[in-house]
């Protein structure tokens, strides 16, 4: 199978950036959007590639006018817009054609759509794309789900436009049907935890150590030369050192402190719950965004309780170590979720490859990912990244700082939900005997749910009165 006729539907920020990237890599591209494409404005930012593009008035027109076999990439919002685009394209497609959903779709939708289209001989791929507008333009990380033969047909183009880590393309076929969108969803769940742990570090330095935003930015810049090196640390440093031209104040001080979310972090937490995987760092990060959005209620709470936010007796180096331990645990939970989903849906995900294709182009690219790829090549104990020898050595070194930071933060009234979640997971997962013996006793007491005994057998009951 070869594919040479590419179309792209959806010329918003991401679609336009990806279209320019595709053209820059020497491919011709048919383009269409919700509205008739204004080719003059579309090529305005990339006049050199004008000859590579053919504009169409609608998706249906584009599919009809393109020679077969066609590969059409959607860069449109997840949900109803994808349903409508499939409905418009489908009547004009023929066996051998491919639709590629490159948005942040729910993997269950992708599984359903792939099964539906494949039943009529059409191919459907769910492709996670990370890196924002800049990544889409200059090289994103891409996680491809779908049939292997279609991936092979798309591969030369996708490898050409992808980010490169030391020359290696940051794109791969991760598995069938919804696997690509699931891997991207978990990428975003990890992204939520990572963003929040940096926000918590910032909060502690700002309000617990009374350091200015610019100095915290400079501290993050230092982090970015060590084991916390990451794209998110880098941009946080820049955001914190930016001055608002209108007020001359640090820009962060004029940004309303309510975080938006489109759903992928929440989906990660929900899928973790469904699959019985602990992802409490992601849950905590989603929860923190939720309460950030309750701005008015927070103001009322402040009035009622007049809380005092005290100083914290920790160093910035301890906060950096706490952040590193939290990052490792957040990633460990994310990869554990990938592993469980792979078993559940029969995807045969290669966790090392997932880490490798996240090393450049994507939002969570970081120093840690090469070590993660190595860790999964050597099957970590109990399948958990946090137990892999190199990660465990770092955690042994960093958890005391995490404990000190979380302890000091809680004592002084600073919320650090993701760091707290990471530490709770660590403490829970490093004790062979926990406290669920009482939970089982309670369950048996009120519901005769039974329990297993340490000296053998299950189905036991306590001698409770009826
Ligand atoms: C990426 C980002 C991208 C997008 C998220 C943000 O990997 O490029 O994750 O997909 O910025 O959808 O999600 P929220 O709006 O939920 O923060």
């Amino acid at each position: 199978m070869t594919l040479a006729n590419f179309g792209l539907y959806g010329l918003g920020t991401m679609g336009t950036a990806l279209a320019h990237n595709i053209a820059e890599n020497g491919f011709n591209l048919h383009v269409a959007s919700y509205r008739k494409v204004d080719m003059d404005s579309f090529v305005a930012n990339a006049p050199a590639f004008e000859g590579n593009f053919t504009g169409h008035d609608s998706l249906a027109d584009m599919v009809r006018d393109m020679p077969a076999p066609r590969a059409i990439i959607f860069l449109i919002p997840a949900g109803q817009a994808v349903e409508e685009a499939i409905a418009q394209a489908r009547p004009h497609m023929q066996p051998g054609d491919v639709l590629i959903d490159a948005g942040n779709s729910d993997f269950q939708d992708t599984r359903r759509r792939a099964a539906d289209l494949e039943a009529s001989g059409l191919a459907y791929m769910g492709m996670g794309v990370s890196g924002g507008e800049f990544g889409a333009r200059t090289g994103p990380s891409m996680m491809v789900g779908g049939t292997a033969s279609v991936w092979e047909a798309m591969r030369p183009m996708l490898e050409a436009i992808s980010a490169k880590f030391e020359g290696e393309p940051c794109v791969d076929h991760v598995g069938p049907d919804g696997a690509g969108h699931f891997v991207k969803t978990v990428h975003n769940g990890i992204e939520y935890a990572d963003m929040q742990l940096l926000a918590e570090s910032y909060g502690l330095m700002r309000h617990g150590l009374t350091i200015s935003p610019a100095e915290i930015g400079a501290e993050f810049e230092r982090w970015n030369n060590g084991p916390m090196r990451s794209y998110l640390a880098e941009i946080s440093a820049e955001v914190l050192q930016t001055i608002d031209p209108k007020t001359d104040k640090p820009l962060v001080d004029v940004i309303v402190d309510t975080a938006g979310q489109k759903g992928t972090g929440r989906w990660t937490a929900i899928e973790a719950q469904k699959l019985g995987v602990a992802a409490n760092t992601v849950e905590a990060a989603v929860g923190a965004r939720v309460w950030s959005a309750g701005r008015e209620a927070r103001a009322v709470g402040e009035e009622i309780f007049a809380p005092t936010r005290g100083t914290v007796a920790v160093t910035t180096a301890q906060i950096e170590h706490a952040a590193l331990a939290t990052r490792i645990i957040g990633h460990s939970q994310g990869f554990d979720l990938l592993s469980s989903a792979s078993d559940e849906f029969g995807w045969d995900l290669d966790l090392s490859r997932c880490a490798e294709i996240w090393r450049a182009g994507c939002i969570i690219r970081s120093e840690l990912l090469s070590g993660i790829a190595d860790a999964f090549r050597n099957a970590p104990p109990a399948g958990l990244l946090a137990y892999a020898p190199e990660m465990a050595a770092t955690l042994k070194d960093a958890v005391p700082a995490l404990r000190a930071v979380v302890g000091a933060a809680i004592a002084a009234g600073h919320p650090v939900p993701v760091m707290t979640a990471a530490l709770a997971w660590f403490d829970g997962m490093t004790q062979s005997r926990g406290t669920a013996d009482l939970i089982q006793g309670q369950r048996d007491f009120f519901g005769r749910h039974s329990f297993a005994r340490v000296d053998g057998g299950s189905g036991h009951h306590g001698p409770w009165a009826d």
Side-chain angles (χ1 to χ4, degrees):
M1 181 180 186
T2 51
L3 282 169
N5 304 306
F6 299 110
L8 189 144
Y9 177 60
L11 296 175
T13 310
M14 289 290 286
T16 300
L18 200 74
H20 288 160
N21 181 357
I22 292 171
E24 188 173 44
N25 279 283
F27 298 91
N28 290 330
L29 190 67
H30 295 261
V31 291
S33 205
Y34 304 111
R35 287 188 299 274
K36 184 177 177 324
V37 179
D38 173 355
M39 287 307 287
D40 289 343
S41 81
F42 174 66
V43 296
N45 292 328
F49 316 131
E50 187 169 0
N52 295 68
F53 296 118
T54 309
H56 301 268
D57 288 352
S58 69
L59 173 59
D61 280 358
M62 180 170 85
V63 182
R64 221 176 6 237
D65 296 349
M66 281 173 66
R70 317 159 174 96
I72 293 156
I73 302 171
F74 292 164
L75 260 160
I76 54 181
Q80 192 51 31
V82 178
E83 295 299 339
E84 284 166 16
I86 293 171
Q88 284 164 33
R90 193 171 186 163
H92 311 289
M93 293 173 69
Q94 60 193 60
D97 289 347
V98 187
L99 290 181
I100 302 119
D101 175 8
N104 275 335
S105 285
D106 183 333
F107 84 105
Q108 291 287 13
D109 287 340
T110 306
R111 282 166 67 79
R112 173 178 52 76
R113 291 167 185 151
D116 179 27
L117 284 144
E118 278 161 17
S120 7
L122 304 172
Y124 193 76
M125 306 196 89
M127 182 168 81
V129 178
S130 180
E133 181 187 4
F134 185 75
R137 178 65 186 83
T138 59
S141 163
M142 291 174 286
M143 298 135 249
V144 182
T147 54
S149 59
V150 178
W151 152 249
E152 286 303 337
M154 293 291 297
R155 186 175 186 159
M157 190 274 273
L158 292 176
E159 286 190 343
I161 67 166
S162 73
K164 310 287 182 303
F165 179 82
E166 294 175 358
E168 265 186 58
C170 286
V171 56
D172 209 344
H173 178 235
V174 296
D177 55 71
H181 276 147
F182 189 86
V183 172
K184 175 62 178 24
T185 297
V186 175
H187 164 285
N188 281 24
I190 295 171
E191 172 185 302
Y192 271 49
D194 234 44
M195 291 168 76
Q196 177 64 23
L197 74 86
L198 288 166
E200 290 171 17
S201 303
Y202 152 70
L204 283 175
M205 288 190 250
R206 180 97 200 252
H207 307 294
L209 296 175
T210 349
I211 302 179
S212 72
E215 285 169 316
I216 300 167
E219 178 66 18
F220 280 163
E221 245 171 42
R222 276 190 289 280
W223 291 17
N224 209 33
N225 291 320
M228 274 298 287
R229 183 179 179 78
S230 62
Y231 170 71
L232 284 170
E234 182 190 322
I235 64 165
S236 301
E238 193 167 334
V239 170
L240 288 165
Q241 292 178 87
T242 301
I243 297 295
D244 173 37
K246 194 170 156 197
T247 59
D248 269 349
K249 289 182 184 169
L251 184 68
V252 278
D253 285 355
V254 300
I255 299 179
V256 174
D257 63 339
T258 58
Q261 50 179 322
K262 295 202 197 75
T264 43
R266 185 169 57 235
W267 294 347
T268 306
I270 291 170
E271 292 309 324
Q273 292 281 359
K274 284 190 187 163
L275 289 164
V277 174
N280 66 335
T281 55
V282 181
E283 288 164 14
V286 174
R289 287 203 193 187
V290 169
W291 80 55
S292 82
R295 193 170 171 227
E296 286 175 16
R298 282 190 283 123
V300 174
E302 185 173 295
E303 228 176 272
I304 295 173
F305 295 100
T308 48
R309 224 168 12 188
T311 52
V312 289
V314 292
T315 63
T316 52
Q318 279 176 303
I319 298 174
E320 181 185 3
H321 271 87
L324 181 60
T326 305
R327 173 175 283 172
I328 291 173
I329 291 168
H331 281 68
S332 186
Q333 294 182 344
F335 279 88
D336 194 20
L337 178 54
L338 289 178
S339 165
S340 290
S342 177
D343 292 347
E344 175 73 17
F345 301 110
W347 287 336
D348 200 19
L349 290 182
D350 178 339
L351 300 184
S352 286
R353 279 303 288 149
C354 290
E356 281 172 355
I357 62 174
W358 288 347
R359 288 178 303 181
C362 76
I363 303 295
I364 63 167
R365 59 188 186 261
S366 77
E367 189 69 19
L368 201 57
L369 284 160
S370 292
I372 294 177
D374 290 345
F376 281 112
R377 243 175 254 118
N378 300 312
L384 288 176
L385 174 67
Y387 297 170
E390 273 203 20
M391 299 294 152
T394 307
L395 282 176
K396 281 180 189 168
D397 191 38
V399 165
L402 176 61
R403 202 177 294 293
V405 167
V406 168
I410 289 174
H414 301 270
V416 284
V418 170
M419 288 189 183
T420 308
L423 184 59
W425 181 91
F426 178 85
D427 286 337
M429 290 299 291
T430 51
Q431 291 167 7
S432 64
R433 182 132 180 100
T435 54
D437 41 5
L438 178 59
I439 304 289
Q440 288 298 81
Q442 292 163 339
R443 291 178 70 243
D444 186 57
F445 190 103
F446 64 65
R448 293 193 61 74
H449 292 294
S450 84
F451 53 79
R453 290 183 59 96
V454 292
D455 51 6
S458 55
H460 295 283
H461 293 288
W464 338 113
D466 281 341

